[in-house]
Amino acid sequence: MWERTLQDLIRGLRANKNDENKFIGQAMDEIRHEIKSKDMELKAGAVMKLTYLDMLGYDMNWASFHIIEVMSSPKIHIKSVGYLGAVQSFNEDTDVLMLTTNLLKKDLSSTPADIAVTLNGVSSIMTADLARDLSPELIGMLNHSRPHIRKRAVAAMYRVFQKYPDALHHGIGRLQEKLEDSDPAVVCATVNVLCELARRNPQDYLPLAPQLFHLLTTSSNNWMLIKIVKLFGSLSPHEPRLVKKLQPPITDLISTTSAISLLYECVHTCIIGNMLQGITGDSLARTCVSKLAAFIEDPDQNLKYIALLAMVKIVPTHPHLVAEHQDTILSSVDDEDISIRMRALDLLSALVNRDNLQSIVQQLLSHLVKPESSAIPSAVQSLSQHIIPSTPAKSPGAPSQSTAYRLVLSQRIMTMCSQNTYDNVSDFEWYLSVLVDLAYVSNVDIGTQIRDQLVDVVGRVRAARSYAVKLMVKVLSDDTFLLHAGEQGSCSEVLWAAAWICGEFCSELSAPDELIPYLLQPEIASLRPDIAAVCIQSATKLFGYWASEAARQWTESFLEDLKQAVDIMIEQMEQLASSTQIEVQERAANVLQLLIFIKRDVAIYKPKQENGFSDPSAAAFDPVSEPSFPKSLYLIQPLFSSHELNPVASIAQASVPVPDGLDLDAWIVPSMQDRVAEEGDDGDVTERKIKRNKKGKEKESGSRTKAKGGKKKQKEGGYQEELAPQEEETAEEKAERERLKAERLERMRDDPYYIMDDRSPKPSAEDVDSIPVVRLDGPLPVSQEEPRLPGLRSSASVRSAPPLFVVQKEGEMPAGAVITSQPSTPMPSSRRQTPNLFDATTTPPPSLPSFQSYEVPDDELRTSTPEPIKVTRAKKKGTSTVKKKRTVKPDVKVGDEAQ
């Protein structure tokens, strides 16, 4: 019978590519028949064919027992096939592996050829049981007379120590002796094993340092030196004296070796082994950095990658040395390999400081714009051109074309500038321009981050607000973001920041009325609801500020401009009030009502005479002069200018003191069980029940007819409450109730925690007495400045010196804050504002006309919310058979309250 060999199987697979499954099925049937044969040559051939098919993905675990039979053959070439099959298919779950223990012990005591084959195979099939049973034999093999046996035994001992750690106590001494073996291969194998073992517990191998140091200074085997240097990198952190001892030989290796792998391992060991400290460490660090910089310039991508990784670890201790190669590092940012670009960005993020931030950011921005433009356009140039820089005309695989990479690059730029609350930024006007440039050239979805950064910078740095407002005006006047708002990567969220900044700091605007049309143009309705809502709110702030400025510098020529501005605002708000977005609709509707009120007030306004009165008799009747401008001009500005927005400290919420008597863990509405238990403790449960004098269905039916005056039951929150029936009150009681209600409303009118409806019913035409007479103070005297356009700030307030940028890092804390987590410097009672050079050259914001305020005696001032007054209705005589019960003892009687 002619059997197929392994070569025949391979030829058959190549010849039956179209029907490979059928051919392999026939081959597997033949193998199953051959492997059961008593002929060991035929059985070994079947195992070889199974091993080949196993590499193609076909299972051979079913032949485990037959593989052990081949392993037991006395012939070395057949035994080798058996061990090859075992290495290929055996694992810890192989059930017949326990049968190999005696076979392995027998082979380890056989001829050198059998021992070599056995040591090669046992390292791959080692289990915990085999390691325990074979450790004495393997330790004995370390002293074998043949070097190749000793080398294989050393390698096998690593697997024994992994599976059976207790063998370390018996084998570590013998393994240490192999460091002084006469054969270099045995020494190299021993160093490899020790290097792998020292990764887990390096301090256990410190006694080996003298022998390893001797090998480091005498050996010329680069591969063994790599392992020794790596081993010393693990030992140095646990023995500081090794650092001083190792610096000279490692410095010599770095300076003299031509092997790049050994050179990098020496540099890496210096970094992780704390060898770059002190005077000698500085010189060694300079040498390491220069070598790594040469790696970055090498065309080998692998060297670039590992050099960038190593430099990231050197930056924390020697940033000035790495900064000398800044241009070399920046050249890697545009590498074709994405992994190298990412490592270069990591290195630049760690390298950036206050001195090199601007140069690094400008060069990173150059990777996001056209390659033809050598210089980065400023924000003003970008906005004036009204274009979006197109992506560089590179191949589809170019770095700048990758959306993921552009996103990471843009985020890294903002992270570099904003880390540690803008510690690295010295010129915030430059950073604001960078943020706007990013919005134009990034072409990725980072609009939300840019928006947050713009608002945060303007809120924390007062000196940058004037420039920020000018920059945001240019953003709003440019229709680029508005036209491309629906596209991906348009960064239209910048419009949110621009509108908010211009509205919040409108006093920095020279012509606020000219910006309102940009905020209320029809295309705003197509933006996201949050952006459109902020545009409406900012336009309202701008109009309120412009109107108050017009009132402050009022002349009769402003009247027509005011009417026209109000009409335009109303027309635009009416369109926005019909928006389908509830936020936009609500804001526009609220502003529209305010504008309608202003329009009516302006329509009935009549210019006054020079003395302020059209009728001299009126002046004699009311000595207080009327303002010369419509009073409604000051209607909107107080709504937004009462308080200044400042950054809030991160621990402000946690530092708010808990008021006395407030239990944050208590239930607002107690459960039924808690309520019943609480009432049962007071002994009032039985007294709360309504007594009935009548029994039977007649009484129940009679009580049901009194729906309004009878008993009421409320079931809410899981409990039931019974109230006594109410009787018809007399006229005296009704009058007393109305009087108490009026007093309560009067107290609540001045309480900021209540919203009162001040609208009173319309009086009749003859009810002249209901018209209130209120005395109003006159307006503040108008400044004697020359009349100019309303709301314009003097353009001469241009700073001649660079501003002093002061960042409010801590933020504001609430009144009475209690900080218990960490001690801090006490906050002064009067908070000082950050110095701003613009304050000396700009006109202070106009103050509103002061009206007569209510005067409250000192003894009536209230420092906290008063306790509620509990009123108990007096018991009345009547014919009702139901007796009322008081649930709570009153604190204040009606008579006492009236007094």
Side-chain angles (χ1 to χ4, degrees):
M1 181 179 179
W2 180 78
E3 290 84 8
R4 296 181 183 179
T5 62
L6 177 60
Q7 292 79 3
D8 297 331
L9 177 65
I10 295 175
R11 293 191 190 100
L13 285 173
R14 294 176 179 176
N16 293 271
K17 292 183 178 179
N18 296 330
D19 197 4
E20 182 178 321
N21 293 333
K22 182 179 179 181
F23 176 80
I24 291 179
Q26 295 176 357
M28 291 294 290
D29 292 339
E30 294 177 1
I31 292 172
R32 291 178 186 273
H33 177 74
E34 294 172 357
I35 207 169
K36 296 178 182 179
S37 174
K38 295 182 180 179
D39 186 357
M40 295 303 294
E41 296 283 351
L42 185 60
K43 190 185 292 288
V47 171
M48 290 183 65
K49 289 188 285 187
L50 276 179
T51 304
Y52 180 78
L53 292 177
D54 182 78
M55 292 188 292
L56 297 180
Y58 296 92
D59 183 36
M60 64 176 294
N61 291 330
W62 56 271
S64 299
F65 184 78
H66 301 290
I67 292 175
I68 294 179
E69 291 180 341
V70 177
M71 291 169 59
S72 62
S73 174
K75 298 181 179 181
I76 186 61
H77 67 284
I78 296 178
K79 184 184 291 291
S80 300
V81 172
Y83 275 101
L84 176 62
V87 171
Q88 189 75 18
S89 61
F90 283 9
N91 53 54
E92 294 184 357
D93 297 331
T94 303
D95 50 0
V96 297
L97 198 58
M98 65 181 66
L99 304 177
T100 62
T101 303
N102 293 330
L103 174 63
L104 294 174
K105 287 187 176 183
K106 177 183 176 182
D107 290 340
L108 288 175
S109 60
S110 184
T111 62
D114 292 343
I115 295 175
V117 172
T118 305
L119 289 175
N120 290 340
V122 76
S123 299
S124 300
I125 64 175
M126 186 70 68
T127 62
D129 295 335
L130 285 177
R132 183 189 66 246
D133 297 336
L134 298 178
S135 58
E137 287 77 6
L138 292 176
I139 292 175
M141 290 292 107
L142 295 177
N143 289 334
H144 199 276
S145 59
R146 296 181 180 246
H148 70 93
I149 299 296
R150 297 199 301 271
K151 183 182 69 174
R152 287 178 170 84
V154 169
M157 287 303 299
Y158 174 68
R159 294 287 294 168
V160 172
F161 295 150
Q162 269 192 327
K163 299 296 183 179
Y164 184 59
D166 292 343
L168 272 171
H169 302 289
H170 307 285
I172 191 63
R174 191 71 60 85
L175 196 64
Q176 183 178 359
E177 296 174 359
K178 298 298 106 180
L179 289 175
E180 300 176 355
D181 196 273
S182 58
D183 188 78
V186 178
V187 178
C188 186
T190 306
V191 171
N192 288 335
V193 171
L194 291 175
C195 185
E196 296 299 324
L197 292 175
R199 289 184 177 183
R200 298 184 179 180
N201 299 307
Q203 63 274 10
D204 295 341
Y205 300 90
L206 285 174
L208 304 177
Q211 293 173 287
L212 294 173
F213 184 80
H214 175 73
L215 293 174
L216 177 65
T217 54
T218 58
S219 177
S220 59
N221 186 348
N222 287 335
W223 292 110
M224 188 171 67
L225 288 176
I226 290 175
K227 292 295 183 179
I228 293 175
V229 171
K230 186 179 295 185
L231 182 55
F232 274 122
S234 302
L235 299 179
S236 297
H238 301 278
E239 180 52 70
R241 292 176 295 179
L242 275 177
V243 174
K244 187 176 180 180
K245 188 73 174 178
L246 291 172
Q247 281 179 345
I250 290 184
T251 304
D252 184 64
L253 284 175
I254 293 175
S255 303
T256 60
T257 184
S258 59
I260 296 178
S261 56
L262 177 59
L263 175 60
Y264 172 76
E265 205 60 54
C266 291
V267 172
H268 186 259
T269 299
C270 292
I271 297 172
I272 65 175
N274 300 325
M275 300 182 187
L276 303 181
Q277 309 297 330
I279 299 176
T280 57
D282 291 339
S283 60
L284 181 58
R286 184 173 295 277
T287 304
C288 293
V289 171
S290 62
K291 295 294 184 180
L292 293 175
F295 285 178
I296 296 178
E297 297 176 353
D298 195 278
D300 189 352
Q301 300 291 84
N302 294 327
L303 292 181
K304 287 183 180 180
Y305 185 84
I306 61 177
L308 292 171
L309 280 179
M311 276 195 172
V312 171
K313 300 176 182 178
I314 298 180
V315 168
T317 56
H318 299 81
H320 58 286
L321 298 179
V322 181
E324 295 177 0
H325 307 278
Q326 176 178 320
D327 296 335
T328 305
I329 299 169
L330 282 169
S331 63
S332 302
V333 178
D334 206 12
D335 195 273
E336 295 181 358
D337 192 345
I338 182 63
S339 60
I340 293 179
R341 296 201 303 270
M342 298 305 298
R343 298 292 78 78
L345 287 178
D346 293 339
L347 179 56
L348 289 174
S349 300
L351 182 63
V352 71
N353 54 42
R354 197 176 184 87
D355 298 327
N356 59 16
L357 173 67
Q358 294 191 15
S359 61
I360 291 178
V361 171
Q362 291 298 117
Q363 295 187 55
L364 291 180
L365 280 175
S366 64
H367 297 284
L368 298 175
V369 296
K370 290 183 178 180
E372 295 82 9
S373 57
S374 57
I376 303 300
S378 64
V380 177
Q381 293 173 348
S382 300
L383 295 172
S384 61
Q385 292 175 1
H386 289 199
I387 62 171
I388 294 182
S390 59
T391 54
K394 295 184 179 181
S395 60
S400 299
Q401 293 288 344
S402 173
T403 303
Y405 172 71
R406 295 174 69 88
L407 177 62
V408 173
L409 181 58
S410 303
Q411 291 175 342
R412 288 299 178 89
I413 291 175
M414 289 188 290
T415 302
M416 292 177 189
C417 298
S418 62
Q419 62 184 359
N420 298 328
T421 320
Y422 314 103
D423 267 349
N424 296 326
V425 180
S426 58
D427 186 357
F428 282 90
E429 293 182 359
W430 166 83
Y431 182 45
L432 291 172
S433 299
V434 168
L435 290 175
V436 176
D437 286 340
L438 266 180
Y440 275 92
V441 303
S442 63
N443 292 331
V444 289
D445 295 328
I446 57 167
T448 303
Q449 295 93 317
I450 295 177
R451 176 199 65 190
D452 297 341
Q453 290 278 290
L454 287 171
V455 174
D456 190 54
V457 168
V458 176
R460 292 182 182 275
V461 186
R462 295 176 180 271
R465 291 175 182 176
S466 178
Y467 179 80
V469 170
K470 296 176 183 177
L471 197 60
M472 295 303 105
V473 169
K474 294 183 179 296
V475 171
L476 292 172
S477 59
D478 182 17
D479 58 353
T480 299
F481 296 108
L482 195 60
L483 295 178
H484 300 83
E487 300 178 3
Q488 186 177 6
S490 62
C491 296
S492 59
E493 293 84 358
V494 177
L495 295 175
W496 191 103
W500 186 88
I501 291 172
C502 291
E504 189 63 31
F505 307 105
C506 54
S507 58
E508 301 289 345
L509 288 170
S510 59
D513 56 323
E514 297 178 2
L515 186 60
I516 294 177
Y518 293 104
L519 291 172
L520 297 180
Q521 51 186 316
E523 291 80 3
I524 294 295
S526 62
L527 296 175
R528 285 171 29 186
D530 57 335
I531 301 177
V534 171
C535 289
I536 295 173
Q537 197 80 352
S538 298
T540 308
K541 295 179 182 179
L542 292 176
F543 178 81
Y545 175 75
W546 176 77
S548 62
E549 283 283 302
R552 183 171 172 269
Q553 304 169 10
W554 180 259
T555 61
E556 299 302 331
S557 60
F558 293 161
L559 183 59
E560 294 300 326
D561 295 339
L562 179 61
K563 291 181 179 180
Q564 183 180 2
V566 173
D567 292 338
I568 294 176
M569 288 278 293
I570 290 177
E571 179 183 358
Q572 294 168 335
M573 287 298 174
E574 287 177 347
Q575 297 177 1
L576 294 172
S578 60
S579 173
T580 57
Q581 302 295 336
I582 185 62
E583 181 71 15
V584 178
Q585 180 187 125
E586 182 179 4
R587 289 179 184 263
N590 291 337
V591 176
L592 182 60
Q593 296 302 319
L594 295 175
L595 293 173
I596 292 175
F597 178 83
I598 296 175
K599 180 179 180 180
R600 292 176 181 175
D601 182 65
V602 173
I604 62 175
Y605 168 76
K606 294 181 180 180
K608 301 295 187 292
Q609 297 179 358
E610 293 183 358
N611 58 1
F613 296 94
S614 58
D615 187 5
S617 60
F621 175 77
D622 192 352
V624 180
S625 61
E626 291 290 330
S628 60
F629 53 85
K631 297 180 180 179
S632 59
L633 295 184
Y634 280 110
L635 176 65
I636 295 181
Q637 190 194 17
L639 302 178
F640 304 105
S641 60
S642 301
H643 303 280
E644 181 183 9
L645 286 181
N646 291 314
V648 180
S650 58
I651 59 173
Q653 183 66 38
S655 302
V656 176
V658 179
D660 297 336
L662 176 62
D663 186 3
L664 298 178
D665 298 327
W667 287 90
I668 298 177
V669 178
S671 61
M672 179 178 180
Q673 293 82 359
D674 296 340
R675 185 183 180 95
V676 171
E678 181 181 358
E679 293 176 351
D681 294 340
D682 296 338
D684 296 336
V685 177
T686 55
E687 296 181 3
R688 281 173 173 266
K689 294 183 179 180
I690 300 175
K691 297 181 179 180
R692 306 178 179 214
N693 296 331
K694 294 184 180 181
K695 298 181 181 180
K697 297 182 180 179
E698 180 180 357
K699 174 58 182 177
E700 294 179 1
S701 61
S703 61
R704 291 174 184 172
T705 57
K706 300 179 181 180
K708 297 182 179 180
K711 179 178 63 176
K712 295 183 180 179
K713 295 183 178 181
Q714 297 179 348
K715 295 182 179 181
E716 182 178 358
Y719 67 90
Q720 178 176 342
E721 182 179 2
E722 296 185 1
L723 300 178
Q726 299 180 356
E727 298 178 359
E728 296 182 0
E729 57 185 2
T730 61
E732 292 80 8
E733 291 179 344
K734 184 175 182 180
E736 180 67 11
R737 180 171 56 81
E738 293 294 335
R739 183 183 65 81
L740 295 176
K741 179 180 179 181
E743 293 178 357
R744 178 172 55 84
L745 293 177
E746 188 63 24
R747 290 193 305 271
M748 294 166 57
R749 188 179 305 277
D750 297 332
D751 196 329
Y753 296 98
Y754 289 92
I755 300 178
M756 300 297 299
D757 187 2
D758 295 334
R759 293 179 297 179
S760 57
K762 296 181 179 180
S764 59
E766 295 79 16
D767 191 6
V768 182
D769 297 336
S770 63
I771 301 176
V773 178
V774 182
R775 175 176 176 173
L776 301 178
D777 292 339
L780 294 177
V782 183
S783 60
Q784 300 299 326
E785 300 177 359
E786 295 182 1
R788 52 188 174 94
L789 293 179
L792 296 183
R793 295 176 60 87
S794 175
S795 60
S797 60
V798 180
R799 56 182 175 88
S800 58
L804 175 62
F805 296 108
V806 180
V807 184
Q808 297 182 4
K809 293 187 177 182
E810 298 298 331
E812 288 187 346
M813 294 290 292
V818 179
I819 303 177
T820 58
S821 58
Q822 56 183 2
S824 61
T825 305
M827 185 72 66
S829 57
S830 60
R831 178 180 297 272
R832 293 184 178 180
Q833 297 182 350
T834 306
N836 188 351
L837 297 183
F838 294 107
D839 295 340
T841 58
T842 55
T843 306
S847 56
L848 302 180
S850 58
F851 298 95
Q852 184 177 3
S853 59
Y854 293 100
E855 295 181 358
V856 183
D858 295 339
D859 55 352
E860 295 183 9
L861 290 177
R862 186 171 66 220
T863 59
S864 60
T865 305
E867 297 182 357
I869 299 176
K870 302 178 182 180
V871 181
T872 304
R873 191 185 302 276
K875 184 177 179 181
K876 292 184 58 180
K877 297 180 180 180
T879 58
S880 174
T881 58
V882 182
K883 189 175 181 180
K884 300 180 182 179
K885 293 291 182 180
R886 292 195 300 267
T887 59
V888 182
K889 185 177 180 180
D891 294 338
V892 181
K893 297 295 183 179
V894 175
D896 297 338
E897 183 186 13
Q899 295 176 359

